[in-house]
Amino acid sequence: KAGVTQTPRYLIKTRGQQVTLSCSPISGHRSVSWYQQTPGQGLQFLFEYFSETQRNKGNFPGRFSGRQFSNSRSEMNVSTLELGDSALYLCASSLLTGASSGANVLTFGAGSRLTVL
Amino acid sequence: AQSVTQLDSHVSVSEGTPVLLRCNYSSSYSPSLFWYVQHPNKGLQLLLKYTSAATLVKGINGFEAEFKKSETSFHLTKPSAHMSDAAEYFCVVSGTSGTYKYIFGTGTRLKVLA
């Protein structure tokens, strides 16, 4: 069974540019969530999608957006990049069958490491 | 509201000695608790999870954790550290309040000395 696939693994951008990251969940998983990981702030929740609907959103500016397609694949976009957006962006998928599914396990991808110059 | 506190940001142990990584949680509901491990430049891998079935949970690679409601703790232990255990460990709490949300601890970096 294939795991969670994130592309690209590494990318370098300059300030002001935008970037799109992709996440393919485990087959059958309908929930995809995104996290930003930095040395200073640790792991921070960005947003979560379930059946193409954003159900939860973290405390990030509107420059950070995402979407989920009918095949459960998800993309996140960051516009007008800033130096502080340099981070490892992690995607996780889960089987989640309902709203009260905290016991479902998150399976993470290897991440996309973004460097903003 | 839920929160999780990892009490040590760094832990160093010698190879072959026990490992203890401490985690305290706060939750208004019956929590689900998880430990994840992250090796350098990798994603997070599930070590074990607690979902109220048994208070002592066994995970992969010889790790286990005990849920103690009276102490609101979920400490991770391993009897004998291996060099390959060197990594960052995250304690995670999730509730059953009706909304899907996982709260991550700030992580504990484990160093294993030869």
Side-chain angles (χ1 to χ4, degrees):
Chain A
K1 193 174 184 181
V4 178
T5 303
Q6 291 189 246
T7 57
R9 286 293 316 279
Y10 302 91
L11 66 167
I12 299 173
K13 294 284 186 178
T14 56
R15 278 181 298 173
Q17 287 187 310
Q18 74 163 14
V19 66
T20 299
L21 308 178
S22 178
C23 173
S24 294
I26 289 174
S27 178
H29 285 195
R30 296 163 64 191
S31 170
V32 173
S33 52
W34 289 88
Y35 296 82
Q36 182 197 64
Q37 186 177 30
T38 60
Q41 300 296 320
L43 263 166
Q44 293 186 284
F45 172 73
L46 280 155
F47 25 66
E48 184 250 344
Y49 289 88
F50 181 81
S51 293
E52 301 180 67
T53 300
Q54 186 184 89
R55 295 201 305 177
N56 285 289
K57 190 175 190 307
N59 192 25
F60 278 80
R63 300 186 296 108
F64 291 81
S65 63
R67 59 178 175 168
Q68 186 180 33
F69 302 95
S70 58
N71 62 356
S72 294
R73 190 178 72 84
S74 176
E75 288 180 348
M76 68 162 281
N77 185 77
V78 187
S79 62
T80 320
L81 284 166
E82 301 176 0
L83 294 179
D85 297 333
S86 295
L88 181 66
Y89 290 87
L90 291 165
C91 164
S93 75
S94 176
L95 199 50
L96 277 189
T97 54
S100 301
S101 302
N104 276 260
V105 171
L106 294 174
T107 302
F108 284 85
S112 293
R113 183 166 293 283
L114 170 66
T115 301
V116 182
L117 303 176
Chain B
Q2 294 174 303
S3 67
V4 61
T5 302
Q6 291 185 242
L7 298 162
D8 308 293
S9 58
H10 292 82
V11 169
S12 289
V13 300
S14 297
E15 191 176 19
T17 64
V19 175
L20 169 64
L21 306 183
R22 300 182 294 164
C23 172
N24 285 359
Y25 71 91
S26 171
S27 178
S28 305
Y29 304 88
S30 297
S32 295
L33 293 157
F34 308 80
W35 276 99
Y36 281 84
V37 61
Q38 184 180 31
H39 289 92
N41 293 313
K42 298 285 178 67
L44 278 71
Q45 179 186 17
L46 179 72
L47 275 178
L48 49 82
K49 72 174 184 178
Y50 165 78
T51 56
S52 78
T55 56
L56 183 62
V57 182
K58 292 189 184 301
I60 62 171
N61 300 336
F63 284 95
E64 62 182 39
E66 187 171 8
F67 174 72
K68 291 187 176 180
K69 187 175 181 179
S70 60
E71 299 175 13
T72 61
S73 69
F74 190 58
H75 300 336
L76 181 71
T77 60
K78 182 173 180 177
S80 176
H82 217 265
M83 295 298 288
S84 59
D85 295 328
E88 188 152 24
Y89 292 79
F90 293 91
C91 182
V92 184
V93 64
S94 180
T96 54
S97 64
T99 59
Y100 163 78
K101 206 159 189 181
Y102 289 78
I103 309 297
F104 284 77
T106 51
T108 298
R109 187 166 296 279
L110 176 65
K111 188 174 181 179
V112 182
L113 307 170

